[in-house]
């Protein structure tokens, strides 16, 4: 929220030691006289103060251009901020003077508690701010007026305030910026609107040498391609033309802010990003605390800082862009800034000298990639934003106020405490207007390509089929490049499944890289090379999947690749340069893998992350299905039953560490891919049978994470069960434990092992897609069936199934031999939340009638239920059931229960039809 001033503070700021100082003292003196006066003296003081305030307000309006002429950018913002506060109070007193009679004015003063004028002149006044749209500012001002007068006076004062603002807009362009009355631009690109707006308030000062060099270096970046690397025959648009001003949300930060959580963002989505930045950079709030710019991978955060550095007018802003991946992570912020300066202009420049020689320009520091410091170094950085705010406070005290913006991924935003006065801005996915503008830019840049190849330009209808990808700039570019090759997206129509789309995208970009790297190879060798690339990418995906993160370090990836026998090819090594590791080699070629980097202790640390998490999840599913199909094929090809069966060695390596339900999209991808392998279901059931009846563990070179041996075996069999269901088959206890007298009991015990080994959230995620059927085998044994179709409503418990043998078949009441206290102790030991919730719900019944759980009632039709069930049913039916037939049926079921002394009271709750 904007830092508001009181009227007295505003006057002091405007007056200083100049000619307004005397007027300021007069007004303050009038306020103090009213504070101590009574009766007619108060009236005289009120009217004297009113006259003085109105006169001063008109003086400020007339002299406002003189008040800010020749000031630095920050001082100009401060003085205009103060002038705005004066105009608010002036509008109020002018309304009293012209629209309110003398008696009503005195009534306003008399009705106020305490010293009315002193309160009015010392109260903080709402001010313009980047997070305060104009309508919201008017609402806050109206509320402020109503705290000092009735609603009629407040409305009139607000109208007069708006008249003052409109009159000043031509003289003071900042007022037009603050009130969002500058020219609207429908989907501005490259922050052109921001530059045009700030040029309207420029000082036209010539920048000093270093500032001019920075401006030239940053400006040159606008003409570079939006993405580096070889684009073949396609033309990649320039950064300046392809970057579109994003949609966003903005909210005040501060202690307790949770910007990584979606629920915290309760503000509306806005599309005036240039307006937000223009207000921010022309109000004093910018120098108080940092702005945190958040976005998903591929949202364009780094591109935004490059655009900002190029667009801010050098006459009024001294911009330094700091790519945090390229400066020492452990250094103080000032040292990081100085390192970035050397990188940008090739000179060693002290920050104090540069800022001190700014010549009225306001320093703006862009710290790009806070998330990279966290990921690459693993160092705790929770105080980083606090240190930025401390840096800003120090610079302000030294007369060098500086604005700072910090970019980060949304997911790690909570790992740094936001200081008071800070702002959080979250970049939102593209909407249709942005997509239309982006498509027009893309198609225009490649007009010659469309004509030469006969390919069709990209259309909005095509992109609307893939909203999750098209909403992020880099992923949108990936879709465009893929479709340009052979109009693959346009030819696919609406029938392209999610898995097939990701397969085509990944295969296409792998093929592009293979053709580039292995130029001259015969086409017959390309399929194997492409598959090798995708295999290595799948290992990258598993490296993240097993560690429960969206990123992985170089060392971790190298270890995983080595554990699976994948080594670097080293075909393109250069003399005098360190050879690439296997991890660096596989991820360095694909722009849909984002690299985070930081310098620590003179070492470059790197982590890798997919631009969209679903790429990794699809690759996990892809490798699982490939390993599964390969193992099943090896088993079918085996002609000798002797010898150890090691055909599923890779599958065991992949499936023993993390349940496939850890990511919600993995199993649906698996199910889609398994439709092309109809014969694996039976093989899977056989492997699952072995895994649950004769579990074994062999130490492996591939060990991405530490895992208890018993947990590894349970996780492996759990994943096999999930794969059986994904293949469209059922898991039957009697199929797994074929010779057991009680197969359901064996599967139950196996499920308890799964539940112990699998983290609770992942286990429950799997339960969302599983149905459990309790049934009987043909020879009368209890059976359990797991299906891939969950129940819409959980089926009721069949107590006869639960009793197993010794079931009560004849009508009557019998006691089940259940030591209740021991069972409750067992539940206490397991500590399952579901058990505790159900016990808590039934606690009154257990306390009053513990034997009701052990007594089983069987009616004349052979249906059995516990007495506890009947008690609850009777009481609820008596309170809520209106159907006479239903009441009659419940009465019949409860009839035998009421013959027992302790439960005779239930008869009173079920009157018969005659009653």
């Amino acid at each position: 929220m904007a830092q508001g001033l009181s009227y007295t503070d505003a006057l002091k700021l405007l007056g200083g030691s100049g000619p307004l100082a005397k007027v300021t003292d007069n007004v303050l003196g009038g306020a103090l006289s009213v504070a101590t006066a009574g009766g007619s003296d108060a009236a005289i003081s009120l009217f004297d103060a009113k006259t003085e305030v109105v006169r001063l307000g008109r003086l400020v309006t007339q002299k406002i251009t003189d008040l800010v002429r020749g000031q630095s950018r920050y001082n100009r913002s401060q003085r205009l901020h103060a002038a705005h506060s004066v105009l608010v109070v002036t509008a109020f007193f002018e309304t009293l003077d012209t629209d309110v009679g003398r008696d009503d004015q005195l009534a306003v003063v008399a009705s106020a508690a305490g010293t009315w004028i002193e309160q009015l002149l010392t109260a903080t006044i709402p001010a313009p701010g980047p997070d305060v749209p104009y309508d919201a500012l008017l609402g806050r001002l109206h509320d402020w007026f109503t705290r000092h007068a009735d609603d009629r006076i407040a409305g009139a004062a607000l109208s007069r305030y708006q008249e003052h603002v409109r009159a000043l807009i031509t003289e003071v362009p900042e007022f037009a910026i603050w009130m969002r009355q500058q020219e609207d631009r429908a989907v501005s690109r490259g922050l052109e609107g921001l530059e045009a707006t700030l040029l309207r308030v420029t000082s036209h000062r010539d920048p000093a040498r270093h500032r001019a060099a920075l401006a030239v270096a940053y400006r040159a970046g606008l003409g570079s391609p939006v993405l580096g690397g070889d684009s073949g025959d396609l033309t990649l648009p320039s950064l300046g033309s392809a970057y579109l001003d994003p949609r966003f949300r903005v909210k005040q930060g501060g202690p307790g802010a949770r910007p990584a959580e979606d629920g915290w963002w309760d503000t509306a989505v806005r599309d005036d990003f240039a307006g937000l930045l223009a207000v921010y950079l022309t109000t004093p709030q910018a120098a108080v605390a940092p702005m945190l710019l958040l976005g998903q991978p591929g949202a364009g955060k780094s591109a935004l800082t490059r655009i900002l550095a190029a667009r801010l007018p050098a006459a009024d802003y001294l911009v330094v862009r700091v790519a945090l991946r390229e400066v020492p992570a452990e250094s103080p912020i000032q040292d990081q800034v100085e390192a970035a300066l050397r990188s940008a202009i090739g000179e060693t420049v002290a920050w104090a000298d540069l800022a001190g020689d700014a010549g009225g320009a306001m320093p703006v520091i862009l710290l790009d990639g806070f998330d990279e410091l966290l990921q690459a170094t693993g160092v705790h950085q929770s105080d980083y934003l606090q240190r930025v705010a401390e840096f800003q406070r120090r610079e302000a005290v030294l007369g060098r106020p500086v604005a700072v913006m910090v970019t980060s991924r949304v997911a790690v935003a909570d790992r740094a405490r936001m200081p008071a006065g800070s702002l959080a801005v979250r970049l939102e996915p593209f909407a249709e207007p942005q997509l239309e503008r982006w498509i027009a830019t893309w198609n225009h840049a490649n007009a010659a390509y469309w004509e030469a190849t006969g390919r069709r330009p990209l259309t909005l209808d095509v992109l609307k089929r893939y909203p999750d990808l098209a909403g992020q700039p880099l992923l949108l570019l990936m879709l465009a490049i893929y479709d340009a090759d052979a109009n693959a997206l346009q030819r696919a129509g609406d029938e392209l499944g999610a898995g097939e789309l990701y397969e085509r995208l990944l295969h296409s970009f792998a093929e592009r890289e293979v053709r580039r790297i292995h130029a001259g190879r015969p086409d017959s060798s390309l399929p194997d090379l492409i598959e090798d690339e995708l295999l290595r990418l799948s290992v990258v995906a598993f490296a993240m999947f097993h560690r429960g993160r969206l990123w992985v370090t170089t060392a971790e990836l190298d270890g995983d690749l080595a554990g699976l026998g994948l080594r670097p090819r080293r075909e393109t090594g250069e003399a005098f340069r360190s050879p690439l590791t296997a991890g660096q080699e596989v991820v360095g070629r694909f722009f849909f893998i984002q690299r985070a980097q930081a310098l620590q202790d003179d070492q470059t640390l790197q982590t890798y992350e997919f631009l969209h998490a679903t790429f990794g999840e699809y690759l996990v599913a892809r490798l699982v299905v490939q390993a599964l199909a390969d193992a099943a094929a090896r088993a079918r090809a085996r002609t000798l039953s002797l010898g150890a069966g090691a055909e599923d060695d890779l599958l065991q390596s992949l499936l023993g560490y993390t349940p496939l339900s850890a990511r919600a999209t993995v199993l649906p991808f698996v199910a889609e891919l398994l439709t092309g392998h109809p014969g694996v279901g039976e093989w899977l059931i056989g492997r699952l049978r072995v895994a649950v009846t004769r579990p074994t563990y062999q130490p492996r070179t591939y060990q991405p994470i530490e895992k208890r041996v018993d947990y590894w075996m349970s996780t492996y069999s759990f994943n096999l069960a999930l794969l059986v269901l994904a293949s469209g088959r059922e898991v039957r206890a009697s199929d797994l434990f074929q010779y057991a007298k009680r197969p359901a009991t064996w599967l139950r015990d196996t499920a308890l092992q799964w539940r112990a080994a699998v983290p609770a959230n992942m286990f429950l995620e799997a339960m969302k897609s599983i149905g459990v059927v309790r049934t009987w085998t043909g020879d009368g044994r209890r059976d359990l069936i797991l299906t891939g179709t969950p129940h819409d409503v959980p089926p009721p418990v069949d107590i006869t199934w639960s009793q197993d043998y010794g079931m009560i078949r004849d009508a009557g009441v019998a006691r089940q031999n259940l030591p209740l206290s021991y069972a409750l102790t067992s539940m206490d030991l397991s500590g399952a939340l579901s058990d505790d919730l159900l016990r808590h719900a039934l606690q009154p019944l257990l306390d009053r009638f513990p034997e009701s759980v052990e007594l089983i009632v069987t009616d004349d039709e052979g249906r059995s239920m516990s007495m506890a069930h009947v008690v609850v049913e009777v009481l609820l039916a008596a309170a809520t059931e209106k159907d006479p037939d239903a009441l009659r049926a419940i009465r019949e079921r409860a009839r035998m229960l009421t013959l027992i002394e302790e439960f005779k009271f239930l008869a009173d709750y079920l009157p018969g039809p005659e009653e």
Side-chain angles (χ1 to χ4, degrees), residues 67-221:
L67 291 172
V68 298
R69 183 179 293 115
Q71 297 292 325
S72 69
R73 175 63 265 174
Y74 178 76
N75 288 343
R76 180 182 173 97
S77 297
Q78 267 194 321
R79 289 183 166 232
L80 291 176
H81 191 219
H84 174 269
S85 298
V86 170
L87 291 182
V88 171
V89 177
T90 300
F92 183 78
F93 275 101
E94 284 179 340
T95 301
L96 287 180
D97 190 40
T98 60
D99 298 357
V100 182
R102 180 185 178 91
D103 292 341
D104 289 339
Q105 293 181 37
L106 292 176
V108 168
V109 177
S111 63
T115 54
W116 178 82
I117 293 185
E118 183 180 20
Q119 292 177 7
L120 181 83
L121 300 183
T122 58
T124 299
I125 301 167
D131 59 327
V132 186
Y134 185 46
D135 289 344
L137 175 62
L138 293 179
R140 294 178 183 183
L141 287 172
H142 186 274
D143 292 342
W144 190 86
F145 288 136
T146 55
R147 287 199 294 271
H148 304 290
D150 60 38
D151 192 66
R152 179 181 66 85
I153 296 174
L158 186 64
S159 297
R160 194 173 293 272
Y161 159 80
Q162 291 175 278
E163 292 174 7
H164 284 311
V165 168
R166 284 192 292 269
L168 284 174
I169 280 176
T170 54
E171 291 185 66
V172 186
E174 283 90 342
F175 275 87
I177 295 173
W178 296 350
M179 311 312 159
R180 311 310 203 266
Q181 294 187 16
Q182 64 270 34
E183 179 186 357
D184 290 330
R185 293 173 178 262
V187 191
S188 174
R189 65 181 183 183
L191 292 180
E192 292 172 339
L194 172 65
E195 182 178 27
T197 297
L198 294 179
L199 285 175
R200 293 170 56 191
V201 297
T202 185
S203 64
H204 299 290
R205 298 185 182 97
D206 291 330
R209 181 172 67 88
H210 291 126
R211 180 155 42 108
L214 285 169
V216 169
Y218 295 144
R219 190 77 178 186

Side-chain angles (χ1 to χ4, degrees), residues 463-629:
L463 292 179
K464 286 167 66 174
R465 300 176 200 151
Y466 315 105
D468 289 344
L469 298 180
Q472 301 291 353
L474 265 181
L475 294 171
L476 171 59
L477 179 61
M478 181 178 182
L479 287 176
I481 293 174
Y482 171 64
D483 184 68
D485 186 34
N487 289 144
L489 292 179
Q490 298 182 54
R491 289 187 291 103
D494 298 326
E495 300 177 359
L496 193 62
E500 188 176 357
L501 168 65
Y502 283 100
E503 176 67 25
R504 291 187 182 187
L505 286 172
L506 291 165
H507 189 279
S508 171
F509 283 94
E511 181 179 355
R512 289 170 63 91
E513 290 304 313
V514 164
R515 289 186 180 277
R516 182 179 64 85
I517 297 169
H518 302 285
R521 288 283 190 94
D523 287 350
S524 60
S525 68
L526 295 184
D528 289 342
L529 292 170
I530 293 169
E531 191 53 47
D532 185 64
E533 292 288 346
L534 293 176
L535 174 65
R536 291 169 183 261
L537 283 174
S538 297
V539 177
V540 176
F542 258 107
M544 302 172 192
F545 181 72
H546 283 320
R547 292 170 175 84
R549 303 195 303 253
L550 296 177
W551 51 274
V552 64
T553 68
T554 303
E556 291 168 340
L557 182 53
D558 287 340
D560 288 3
L561 288 165
L564 292 173
L566 297 173
R567 306 290 179 182
R569 301 183 188 87
R570 295 195 176 94
E571 291 185 5
T572 57
E574 298 179 22
F576 308 110
R577 300 187 67 175
S578 299
L580 295 178
T581 68
Q584 291 170 330
E585 183 183 66
V586 70
V587 299
R589 296 196 288 266
F590 296 97
F591 77 83
F592 53 81
I593 295 181
Q594 178 168 295
R595 181 183 66 180
Q597 175 178 300
L599 297 176
Q600 186 179 40
D601 299 329
D602 295 327
Q603 291 186 335
T604 300
L605 306 177
Q606 296 176 329
T607 65
Y608 309 100
E609 174 181 6
F610 288 101
L611 283 178
H612 198 288
T614 315
F615 282 111
E617 291 156 11
Y618 173 76
L619 286 165
V620 166
R622 186 181 193 275
L623 184 53
V624 166
V625 172
Q626 284 183 314
L628 176 57

Side-chain angles (χ1 to χ4, degrees), residues 753-767:
Q753 293 172 346
W754 292 343
R755 186 172 175 178
V758 175
N761 63 318
M762 300 178 191
F763 189 79
L764 292 176
E765 183 65 32
M767 294 304 104

Side-chain angles (χ1 to χ4, degrees), residues 384-506:
Y384 187 78
L385 297 180
Q386 301 281 354
R387 287 189 280 129
V388 171
E390 288 292 340
F391 173 77
Q392 289 180 275
R393 280 191 283 273
R394 185 199 73 182
E395 293 299 296
V397 169
L398 296 175
R400 305 187 298 249
V402 55
V404 181
M405 303 181 194
V406 183
T407 71
S408 175
R409 284 193 304 115
V410 174
V412 300
D414 284 353
R415 293 171 64 180
R417 296 186 299 273
M418 294 192 70
S422 58
L423 274 182
V425 177
R426 189 177 77 176
L427 308 183
E428 295 291 318
F430 282 169
E432 284 193 20
Q434 278 99 353
L435 290 178
E436 288 177 334
R437 181 65 181 267
W438 193 94
I439 291 170
T441 301
W442 170 257
N443 288 338
H444 176 75
N446 287 285
Y449 176 81
W450 310 134
E451 184 176 355
T453 62
R455 303 283 190 265
R456 296 189 299 273
L458 190 60
T459 65
L460 178 62
D461 288 340
V462 171
L463 292 179
K464 286 167 66 174
R465 300 176 200 151
Y466 315 105
D468 289 344
L469 298 180
Q472 301 291 353
L474 265 181
L475 294 171
L476 171 59
L477 179 61
M478 181 178 182
L479 287 176
I481 293 174
Y482 171 64
D483 184 68
D485 186 34
N487 289 144
L489 292 179
Q490 298 182 54
R491 289 187 291 103
D494 298 326
E495 300 177 359
L496 193 62
E500 188 176 357
L501 168 65
Y502 283 100
E503 176 67 25
R504 291 187 182 187
L505 286 172
L506 291 165

